[in-house]
Amino acid sequence: MGGTDTAAFAHPELRALLLPAIRADYVLVEGHDAAPAPESILDIPVFAY
């Protein structure tokens, strides 16, 4: 979505606040294992209006 503005990393205090959150995001992405979607979750028709 555009990521973090590079100017934010020029300030040491702000960088210290941002990096742990960014690292945590990468840890979540690396460990995510998407389960295959079942063929049918609902046994009823779904109508969207």
Side-chain angles (χ1 to χ4, degrees):
M1 302 270 240
T4 306
D5 188 1
T6 56
F9 295 111
H11 303 285
E13 297 87 8
L14 186 54
R15 183 175 52 239
L17 290 172
L18 291 174
L19 285 179
I22 294 171
R23 287 185 185 117
D25 287 347
Y26 280 108
V27 168
L28 287 174
V29 169
E30 285 179 358
H32 179 69
D33 185 22
E39 287 185 27
S40 176
I41 295 174
L42 301 175
D43 291 332
I44 59 173
V46 176
F47 299 94
Y49 298 98

